[in-house]
Amino acid sequence: MRADKFITKGLMPMVGFVVVGWLGSYFYIVDGQMDWFRFAMLFGILAGIPHMFLVVPHNWDISGTVGMVAACVLIGGLIGIPVAVWKFIRAAVYLIGFPVSRLWNWGKQRIV
């Protein structure tokens, strides 16, 4: 495993998850307890941004445009929840796999 993949696919997404979780705590903590739907939608919207606007309103009135944008944000958030989970698992695998592969290669060099 190369160091650039470790940084781009492991370290940076995990730092992003930590920062969003820290800053988003004002959004998903309600009355001192965690609201899991808001938590999932926060990470889902951030991960589902490329999938959000399925229908782009054109020549609609303001209420139709706002309603369609709200629907697209909700759909993008629901699509983004499994995407966020997948990105988190992949980042964790890279964070664990990189040091293990380095130790493995270092051990092979020491034996020979």
Side-chain angles (χ1 to χ4, degrees):
M1 185 180 302
R2 297 187 343 223
D4 61 338
K5 283 191 176 185
F6 167 72
I7 292 171
T8 58
K9 291 187 178 183
L11 194 61
M12 288 175 56
M14 197 58 77
V15 168
F17 280 121
V18 168
V19 168
V20 168
W22 174 53
L23 293 176
S25 65
Y26 299 107
F27 176 72
Y28 61 78
I29 293 183
V30 180
D31 296 331
Q33 293 183 347
M34 191 166 172
D35 185 5
W36 287 101
F37 179 73
R38 288 185 182 187
F39 178 79
M41 286 303 287
L42 175 71
F43 284 100
I45 287 172
L46 293 176
I49 284 176
H51 311 287
M52 270 189 191
F53 290 99
L54 301 174
V55 177
V56 178
H58 182 66
N59 291 335
W60 290 10
D61 59 346
I62 191 72
S63 62
T65 303
V66 169
M68 185 53 67
V69 167
C72 286
V73 167
L74 287 174
I75 291 169
L78 292 175
I79 292 171
I81 291 170
V83 173
V85 169
W86 172 249
K87 286 183 180 182
F88 183 80
I89 291 171
R90 185 179 66 179
V93 167
Y94 273 97
L95 284 177
I96 294 169
F98 181 72
V100 169
S101 69
R102 289 294 177 177
L103 285 173
W104 181 264
N105 290 336
W106 180 72
K108 284 168 78 175
Q109 291 174 356
R110 298 278 293 176
I111 293 172
V112 174

